[in-house]
Amino acid sequence: MNLVSLLFGFSGRINRVQYWLGCVIAGVGGAMLFFTLALLTMPQGGVPKDELQALQALSSMGFAFGVPLMLMGWAGSALQTKRLHDRGRSGLWALAPLLPVLMIVVNIVSGLTTGMRPEQVVASLMMWLVILQIINLVMFVDIGCMAGKPEPNKFGPPPSGGFSGGGAPTGGSPIPGKARPVPQPIPGMGSTLVGAESAIERAIAAQGKPQGPQPVSASRLSPAPALSAGLRPATAGGSFGRKAPS
């Protein structure tokens, strides 16, 4: 997103870094323009004493002051609208502070036209001033401090870079198609760590193999020596009841 789209465009989404950067650029640029136009439109001989000349000077200075104020207001509305898009809401919420501002203007005009005293006018404005401060505080926290939605919405894809993202996740499951980084061994301990890791892998692989029946050796099948020594084979010509020759 270029600088013109950032400051004056109402479409798309921006993150918190882009929002605060745009606010700084709009504020500094508006102040410089305001100061330059004030120097150009200020009367050379000071404030004129003639009423007609004074009105002309005030009108020209008011026009000069209004241009940077309108540009700054436009840029602020554009930045807030795109930031609200990043939060998943409509940009019309940026008009919320206009309601208490309008009521403040109406109360001031009605107080001056009806002949109310200044303290009465101020008392009638207190409620709307409090409401305006609450709305500004909520918008400051929501737009300037809260992260945007990481997924695409109807206003566009998430902005790249900054705190509100669009970048790679910092944890969890790995990104499909991207291998995890292989840890590098520490200098001086590489061979030791590699050997230990190999031993652990071999032990895990040995435990994972199915244990089959162990082969039985011939020594286990042979009778015990004491038992085999006590058994004597019978002679071929022997008979029952006859005494064997000694």
Side-chain angles (χ1 to χ4, degrees):
M1 180 177 293
N2 54 31
L3 185 60
V4 177
S5 301
L6 176 65
L7 295 180
F8 302 106
F10 286 84
S11 61
R13 300 168 57 179
I14 58 175
N15 54 40
R16 287 173 290 182
V17 174
Q18 294 168 336
Y19 172 75
W20 287 115
L21 181 61
C23 289
V24 172
I25 294 174
V28 174
M32 293 177 62
L33 182 60
F34 185 88
F35 183 73
T36 303
L37 292 177
L39 291 178
L40 294 175
T41 57
M42 185 176 296
Q44 299 295 330
V47 180
K49 297 180 180 180
D50 188 6
E51 294 182 359
L52 182 59
Q53 294 179 358
L55 290 176
Q56 292 178 354
L58 289 176
S59 61
S60 60
M61 292 181 66
F63 176 77
F65 294 162
V67 170
L69 290 177
M70 291 177 60
L71 291 176
M72 292 172 65
W74 185 282
S77 300
L79 291 170
Q80 291 178 357
T81 299
K82 291 191 289 290
R83 190 69 185 96
L84 286 168
H85 290 172
D86 192 40
R87 294 283 295 151
R89 286 191 290 275
S90 173
L92 295 177
W93 285 101
L95 303 177
L98 293 182
L99 176 61
V101 169
L102 179 62
M103 296 306 300
I104 289 172
V105 173
V106 170
N107 286 341
I108 292 175
V109 173
S110 63
L112 293 176
T113 55
T114 56
M116 295 176 59
R117 292 181 297 178
E119 56 271 15
Q120 293 177 344
V121 176
V122 173
S124 65
L125 301 178
M126 291 303 298
M127 180 184 69
W128 295 108
L129 289 173
V130 172
I131 294 176
L132 178 61
Q133 294 300 322
I134 293 175
I135 293 176
N136 289 333
L137 179 61
V138 171
M139 292 188 65
F140 171 79
V141 174
D142 184 64
I143 297 177
C145 301
M146 302 298 292
K149 302 298 182 181
E151 66 275 0
N153 54 24
K154 61 181 180 180
F155 303 106
S160 59
F163 294 108
S164 61
T170 56
S173 60
I175 304 175
K178 186 175 182 180
R180 289 183 177 271
V182 180
Q184 299 295 329
I186 302 174
M189 299 180 64
S191 58
T192 304
L193 293 177
V194 171
E197 185 178 359
S198 302
I200 294 174
E201 291 179 354
R202 289 195 300 269
I204 295 175
Q207 291 181 358
K209 291 181 179 180
Q211 300 293 333
Q214 298 294 331
V216 181
S217 60
S219 60
R220 293 185 179 181
L221 297 177
S222 60
L227 182 62
S228 60
L231 296 177
R232 294 181 179 179
T235 57
S239 60
F240 181 76
R242 294 181 60 184
K243 184 178 181 181
S246 57

